[in-house]
Every structure is written in C-alpha cells, then in structure tokens.
Amino acid sequence: MKLTQLAACITTATLLTACGGSSSDSDSSVINLPNVQKVLNTNADIALAVYSDAVDTAIDLKTALATFRADPTEANLEAAKKAWLVAREPYGQSEVYRFRNSPIDSTDYSSENGPEGDINAWPLGEALIDYVKTNSSDFGTDQIGVTANSAGINGNGAIDATHATNNDADNIIGNTNVIINADLLANTATADDEHDVIAGYHAIEFMLWGQDLNTTGNTTDGTDRDSAVKSYVFNHGGQRPLSDFVPGFDGTTTDYNANTLSHRRHQFMAVAVDKLIADLEAVRDGWKAGAAYRTAFTTVTSEAQAKQKLAEILTGMGTLSEGELAGERMQIAFSANSQEDEHSCFSDNTHRDIWLDAEGVANSYYGAYAGYDSTLDGTDNVTTRAITNGYGIDDYLRDAGKAELATRVETALTTTATHYTAIDAKARAGEPFDVLIMAANQTANNPVYKTITALNTQSALIAEIATTLGISGSVVDPDASACDTKDPLVSCDE
C-alpha cells in the first residue's frame, strides 16, 4: 500500500454497527459512552498535536532549504538533510490516522481523496525527477521510462554519468522546457505501476541525498550495500555531490535566476516543500476544534456511533501494524532483498520510519504523545505539544473490566518496541535497513524478521479488542497487503 489506500474493512466494521448489527461476542456493558467520548477526544488531541508538529518541522525544512540555496555549502547541505530527518519524526507518528477516512485520506470523511499520496508515497519516480544510474539488480532499467503519467515526462533520458551538463534528459531537472511549479507536482502518482511519484517527503529526500551508491559510485547489486554505508545520519544513504547545487558548475552562469540545472534543483525543492506544507496544513486543520471532521468524529450519542468511532481508531492501529508496516514497508523489501521497496532508501532512514509508525500505534493505545526528536539521538525532546494525561484504549479496557486483555496488548507492544529498537541500534552502528535485508542476513534472528512477526501478533490483539467491544467486521484490513506476515521469509504475491 505504497500510495493512499483506505481499508476496505472500515466499511464492514462501521456500517454493521451503525445499522445495529453486532457479533455474537458483543457485550453492551463494555460500551460506556462517557468513556468512549474521552477516548475520542484524546485521539483527536493527539492528531492535532502531531500534525501541528509535522507542519512546524516542514516549515523548518523550508527555511533550511532556502538557506542552502542562498549559500550552497557543505554545512548548509548537511543542515538541510538534518531538517528533513527531523521533519520525519513527528510525521511518522501520524500514520496511525490512516485507513479510517480521517483528513489524511479523505477530505469529507467518505471519499478516498486525501493528500496522503502527495505527502508520503513511495517508491519514488526518481528517474522522472533527475539523473539516475542503473545497471544492477537494485536499480535496473525497468525503473525508468515511466510514460503513463500526467506530468508529460518519461525519464528515459535520465541515465547519465555526466549529469551536470545533461540538459537533454527527459526528466524534470534536465528538461529545461518543463516548468517547475505546484501544478506539475500535482501530477504525482498517476501511473498504474506507481513509479511516477514526484512529490512529498521522498522527492525532497532524493534531491538532497541522491541515489545510495557503492564505493565505486555505481548502484549496488543487492550483495554489496554494506560497502555503501557511510557515517551515521547526514552522510548515510545517497551520494549526491554539492556541485549539483552550485551555480556555474554546468559551465553556464552563476545567476540563480537562470534556468540552469543547479537552479532547477533548488527550485524543485522549494516548490516541493511549499506543497508539502500546504498539504500538511490541510490535514492539521481538519483536526482543529470546530472543524467539520473533528466535530463529526468526536460526536457520539449512541452505542452504534461509539462502536463505529472505536472501529475507526482500531482500524488505523491494526491495518498500519500488519498490512502496511509489517507487510508493505518491511516484508516486501525483506523477503525480496529489494532496496527499491525500502521506504526511505535515499537517506537510509527506514529504521526511523519503522520505529515511528509503531510508536504511533502505541500512542493511540495509551492515549499519549511524547513529542518528537529534534536531535536525532532517538529521544523525544520537543515536548511543547506533548499529551501525557490523555485517556487511551488501555484506560478504556481497564475501566470496562478487561485488564487481562489490556495487559496482553501491552506485552505485545513492548515486544514490538524491543525489536524495532534493535533495528534502530543496528542502523546507528552501521547496518541500516537495506543491509539488514540482504540475502545473507535473511534469518529468523534478524530484528527485521522479529519486528514483522511481533507486528503480526500485535495486530491480532488489536482485532481482539474490537471483538471484545462488540465491533463486527475486521479492523485489520486483509487486503492491505498480500504478505503473510507470520512468515517474513516468504515473498509477497502482489
């Protein structure tokens, strides 16, 4: 589910209860309207906080990119990379609000027309944006030449070792006849094969880092990614040279107002970050007090409504845990040794994507938000909007006399955290996600394997919560992924 896709099960899980249907396990005594109201209010408060932090950090990224454009030095390139990494910290925790027709996926609490695909879709259509190198299993010629898109480019001219002077490439940067503006980037993710993503976080990531190449400057072949690992954080991942951003390097002019390749790279990032901010603001505003979505979501006057709203929260938690994170974001790449299916493949930041998605699920369960990490040391230190006294699913279960189930869920969440923390530690020690998924490392002892199976167990317990609350239908969308996350070594049949 690399692009936006709502859980089909939300229809089943909500409509049956809204029409008065219930499962044989239904126990009306577990539906307490005042307590459901507290869960909804906290869930909405966390959403507003995390999306507000996502907007703020995206604005900080815009500032860093503008500084880098005004003074294209290594130090300012590093600062822009850091700003991008920090911007991912709150956003990752927001993904638990997907799959439930909330503002990230829907503008009207019904249609699948939200901006998620414009914000966070992957794999990126990097060959449509700027030069790339091919000729290996990690990035072959099958990844370029995407003609079935609405941007009017195909990427076929993107293979170029002398990229600085390649003004004839049929990509956004190289084709100087292509006007870089918001209208162009609105044509993202229009091809059937999903290889034409040109907007959002990952478009900016590609521009800052470039491809993750090996020590000889070529694409890796699936066996040598460990040779591509640099020092942690800013030099992790891709190897785009500073010269790509310096005016005059292409032998024409030092004037940033000219239509040179260096100018176009800065212009692309400026347009992309403005669109990212606008999209995030639209999502954030849907969670503000008095907004139509928040009002509808937090209004509960009947048991049927209560079950519907709880189903929405649990669907976000369950489907993100199993289908999206364990399946689409981890097992597809792990089982196939596929760097291209790695979420943040240019920056080697996938270990944080995994951590933050899972942390977001825990936030919804515990009714808490600790803030985000601005120092990139793994500790949330920006606590301005932290929520520490909320009312979560854990509180609800215990107040309903379901402490035993709550304890089992919490044990599962802790197990998941243990394993994703191990992935994070490996990355910080020089083994990022794309190294962990190499064929030689595909074992049951791998923390990637263990995290996938832990997420599978976690999702089953989230489904048990729904059953216990008398919610009919599935809150773990069976169509979210073709992966069997009980066995991470088995390839996914997409």
Side-chain angles (χ1 to χ4, degrees):
M1 209 172 310
K2 301 176 182 70
L3 305 181
T4 183
Q5 177 184 337
L6 299 183
C9 64
I10 194 71
T11 301
T12 304
T14 60
L15 289 186
L16 285 178
T17 56
C19 296
S22 63
S23 73
S24 60
D25 296 318
S26 177
D27 179 358
S28 61
S29 66
V30 299
I31 298 300
N32 179 295
L33 293 187
N35 286 349
V36 171
Q37 186 69 66
K38 290 190 288 186
V39 170
L40 301 182
N41 290 343
T42 294
N43 191 258
D45 289 343
I46 294 173
L48 179 59
V50 73
Y51 282 119
S52 295
D53 283 344
V55 169
D56 286 354
T57 53
I59 292 171
D60 291 341
L61 173 59
K62 176 179 179 175
T63 299
L65 291 174
T67 299
F68 176 47
R69 178 174 182 171
D71 186 14
T73 64
E74 287 286 1
N76 285 336
L77 175 57
E78 181 175 297
K81 289 179 177 180
K82 178 182 179 182
W84 185 90
L85 292 168
V86 171
R88 295 294 289 170
E89 293 290 314
Y91 183 78
Q93 296 180 68
S94 78
E95 296 213 83
V96 72
Y97 290 94
R98 292 189 56 199
F99 316 112
R100 46 183 276 190
N101 282 330
S102 78
I104 187 64
D105 282 323
S106 178
T107 62
D108 59 6
Y109 210 171
S110 175
S111 307
E112 296 183 30
N113 63 349
E116 193 279 332
D118 290 37
I119 291 172
N120 195 43
W122 103 108
L124 193 72
E126 56 262 51
L128 296 175
I129 299 174
D130 204 352
Y131 70 91
V132 294
K133 290 188 176 182
T134 61
N135 301 323
S136 83
S137 58
D138 276 350
F139 195 85
T141 54
D142 60 319
Q143 299 293 333
I144 66 171
V146 183
T147 57
N149 66 81
S150 300
I153 49 180
N154 65 42
N156 271 325
I159 313 170
D160 182 37
T162 58
H163 52 272
T165 58
N166 182 23
N167 283 286
D168 296 321
D170 193 9
N171 56 55
I172 292 171
I173 302 303
N175 186 341
T176 56
N177 293 317
V178 175
I179 299 174
I180 301 173
N181 55 24
D183 290 339
L184 174 68
L185 269 60
N187 291 304
T188 190
T190 59
D192 290 340
D193 62 6
E194 303 182 358
H195 284 172
D196 67 328
V197 175
I198 58 175
Y201 284 108
H202 298 296
I204 300 169
E205 176 196 10
F206 171 61
M207 293 308 297
L208 289 173
W209 273 271
Q211 284 177 288
D212 191 2
L213 305 176
N214 62 22
T215 53
T216 64
N218 293 308
T219 53
T220 52
D221 63 10
T223 67
D224 61 344
R225 295 190 202 116
D226 48 348
S227 72
V229 176
K230 278 72 66 177
S231 60
Y232 179 67
V233 182
F234 308 121
N235 290 323
H236 240 188
Q239 297 175 324
R240 186 182 294 281
L242 176 66
S243 55
D244 275 6
F245 300 102
V246 177
F249 180 75
D250 54 4
T252 54
T253 177
T254 59
D255 181 5
Y256 267 129
N257 293 316
N259 197 24
T260 62
L261 301 188
S262 57
H263 163 75
R264 290 176 66 81
R265 291 188 181 103
H266 286 287
Q267 183 184 22
F268 178 90
M269 290 191 293
V271 172
V273 77
D274 280 344
K275 175 173 170 52
L276 176 64
I277 292 168
D279 287 339
L280 289 170
E281 287 176 335
V283 176
R284 176 204 62 192
D285 291 351
W287 289 99
K288 287 183 175 180
Y293 172 81
R294 179 171 179 139
T295 299
F297 172 68
T298 57
T299 297
V300 55
T301 60
S302 68
E303 179 177 322
Q305 276 190 331
K307 288 181 178 181
Q308 176 180 340
K309 304 305 173 56
L310 290 172
E312 291 170 19
I313 295 173
L314 293 170
T315 298
M317 295 169 60
T319 300
L320 177 62
S321 294
E322 199 274 336
E324 182 71 1
L325 180 53
E328 296 294 289
R329 301 193 180 188
M330 298 184 70
Q331 187 165 334
I332 287 177
F334 181 68
S335 63
N337 184 20
S338 174
Q339 186 186 49
E340 182 63 10
D341 285 300
E342 178 190 4
H343 196 148
S344 295
C345 63
F346 308 111
S347 61
D348 273 347
N349 196 50
T350 302
H351 59 289
R352 295 305 298 167
D353 296 326
I354 294 167
W355 174 309
L356 296 164
D357 277 5
E359 184 178 9
V361 174
N363 290 349
S364 284
Y365 178 77
Y366 290 112
Y369 172 58
Y372 66 92
D373 175 13
S374 71
T375 59
L376 304 178
D377 65 356
T379 302
D380 294 328
N381 66 300
V382 179
T383 59
T384 308
R385 296 188 176 95
I387 294 174
T388 58
N389 60 349
Y391 188 88
I393 301 293
D394 63 330
D395 299 305
Y396 189 91
L397 290 174
R398 285 189 163 82
D399 287 346
K402 306 298 179 182
E404 186 272 337
L405 174 57
T407 298
R408 285 192 287 121
V409 174
E410 288 152 22
T411 298
L413 291 171
T414 299
T415 299
T416 299
T418 297
H419 297 318
Y420 71 62
T421 299
I423 295 174
D424 186 83
K426 287 279 191 181
R428 293 175 188 273
E431 290 184 82
F433 183 82
D434 63 353
V435 173
L436 292 177
I437 66 174
M438 292 194 308
N441 297 327
Q442 291 176 344
T443 70
N445 290 323
N446 190 313
V448 175
Y449 182 106
K450 291 181 178 180
T451 304
I452 293 170
T453 57
L455 286 164
N456 176 281
T457 299
Q458 172 179 305
S459 69
L461 286 166
I462 292 168
E464 186 176 339
I465 295 173
T467 299
T468 299
L469 298 181
I471 295 170
S472 300
S474 176
V475 296
V476 182
D477 184 358
D479 297 322
S481 175
C483 299
D484 177 7
T485 57
K486 293 187 293 295
D487 189 354
L489 294 174
V490 174
S491 63
C492 303
D493 183 18
E494 290 192 293

